[in-house]
Amino acid sequence: MNLKGDFKTIIEDILATKPVLHHITNYVTARDCADAALAIGASPVMADEVAEVEDITSDADVLVLNLGTCNVRTLASMELAAKTARKNRIPVVLDPVGVMSSALRREFAVKLLTGGLVTVVRGNYSECRTLLGRESGDDGGRGVDSGAAPDQAETFKLVKDCADQYGCVFVLSGAVDYVSDGKRAVMLNGGNPLMTSITGAGCMATTVVAACTAVADDKMEGAILGMVLMSQAAELAAGLLEKKDGPGMFKVRLLDCLYHVVHKWSLIQENLHPTREN
């Protein structure tokens, strides 16, 4: 993969085409996702009414499904939207929030995955482990928070196994991010610990991944770039903080820095962290 050259093309395509991102998403972070989409040059749409999701999805460039505040009504909308996306060859990005803590979420996510309706999954270690069918509750994950990932070799194997089992790209995010399509796997360094101290960082990452996936020919490369953009923005945002600042100002800066790393893509080339392939 010629990542730097491919990243440049993807970013230029986002800015040139302004892809439409249809979200059926977590109401806690819906505004964060919309702001992130706008900051990177995409166009967000938030629509979860079952009577209109076919129309909205058909006109979108990517569909984002986030299980953070799901209910029976929105799950029906998500499934219909996902089927509409497959019919129209529109990529679907799934954020399986909290699947290790709820049978409803877990069973719905697996239904989408086994039905071939998902292009990219972006989840944490506990979520990915649960989707692979391993017992939850013994890795430290609680609520929607992940347990700690094990050593690199085991995490590489987990993300590759997830991608291979479901035939789509998996992004396992955390202190270190892992991306795989079942055959290739990449580890990405970067980010900042303050991302775990605000609401919406993961959901925003999913939105950025979706924007890149919408225009990328290689969906794994799009997913990698989405995570690189979030990591770069987080590092830049943390570097702008003063001693008196905390998570609140970090979140404001994060949005600003998302804008800058996309609109000044050379920052990525200059500061791109090495990746390790496995």
Side-chain angles (χ1 to χ4, degrees):
M1 290 182 288
N2 178 22
L3 291 179
K4 291 185 178 181
D6 294 334
F7 287 176
K8 177 179 182 292
T9 299
I10 294 169
I11 291 172
E12 289 175 345
D13 286 348
I14 290 173
L15 296 177
T17 65
K18 199 176 179 66
V20 174
L21 283 52
H22 177 201
H23 293 71
I24 303 178
T25 192
N26 181 345
Y27 60 69
V28 175
T29 61
R31 182 171 180 176
D32 298 322
C33 294
D35 285 342
L38 290 170
I40 62 173
S43 177
V45 177
M46 308 283 174
D48 62 11
E49 170 53 50
V50 70
E52 69 171 358
V53 293
E54 288 181 280
D55 292 337
I56 299 294
T57 302
S58 296
D59 194 43
D61 296 295
V62 66
L63 173 65
V64 184
L65 303 178
N66 182 303
L67 303 185
T69 52
C70 63
N71 55 60
V72 172
R73 180 186 65 83
T74 56
L75 292 182
S77 296
M78 287 182 184
E79 185 173 1
L80 179 57
K83 290 179 177 178
T84 301
R86 180 174 63 179
K87 179 181 177 181
N88 291 277
R89 298 185 179 180
I90 295 166
V92 177
V93 178
L94 174 66
D95 194 330
V97 180
V99 290
M100 63 282 193
S101 300
S102 161
L104 176 69
R105 299 177 190 216
R106 180 174 62 255
E107 290 168 5
F108 181 74
V110 171
K111 181 180 182 180
L112 293 181
L113 287 162
T114 55
L117 298 175
V118 179
T119 310
V120 178
V121 176
R122 192 220 59 84
N124 60 39
Y125 168 70
S126 295
E127 290 160 351
C128 291
R129 191 169 183 269
T130 297
L131 291 175
L132 197 58
R134 299 183 181 171
E135 290 294 326
S136 59
D138 60 353
D139 62 9
R142 298 186 64 194
V144 298
D145 295 325
S146 180
D151 61 68
Q152 291 178 5
E154 187 173 341
T155 309
F156 260 127
K157 185 177 187 309
L158 174 63
V159 73
K160 289 176 74 174
D161 286 349
C162 285
D164 181 62
Q165 177 165 318
Y166 292 115
C168 62
V169 175
F170 261 74
V171 178
L172 193 162
S173 61
V176 178
D177 300 323
Y178 297 80
V179 185
S180 178
D181 62 1
K183 297 179 180 178
R184 302 169 294 175
V186 173
M187 181 180 74
L188 304 168
N189 295 308
N192 187 273
L194 279 171
M195 295 178 78
T196 64
S197 299
I198 63 171
T199 56
C203 298
M204 292 166 71
T206 299
T207 290
V208 178
V209 166
C212 296
T213 301
V215 302
D217 293 330
D218 185 324
K219 302 309 181 187
M220 180 173 167
E221 290 177 2
I224 292 170
L225 175 57
M227 298 308 294
V228 169
L229 291 173
M230 281 300 299
S231 293
Q232 288 294 314
E235 291 184 7
L236 290 171
L240 293 173
L241 297 180
E242 300 177 10
K243 289 184 178 180
K244 61 181 176 60
D245 295 329
M249 185 55 70
F250 172 76
K251 189 170 185 178
V252 172
R253 296 295 191 196
L254 182 61
L255 188 64
D256 290 340
C257 291
L258 269 174
Y259 172 86
H260 287 300
V261 296
V262 172
H263 289 77
K264 300 177 182 178
W265 62 267
S266 59
L267 287 174
I268 298 172
Q269 290 199 333
E270 292 171 3
N271 297 303
L272 180 62
H273 287 275
T275 62
R276 174 183 169 185
E277 296 191 35
N278 184 281

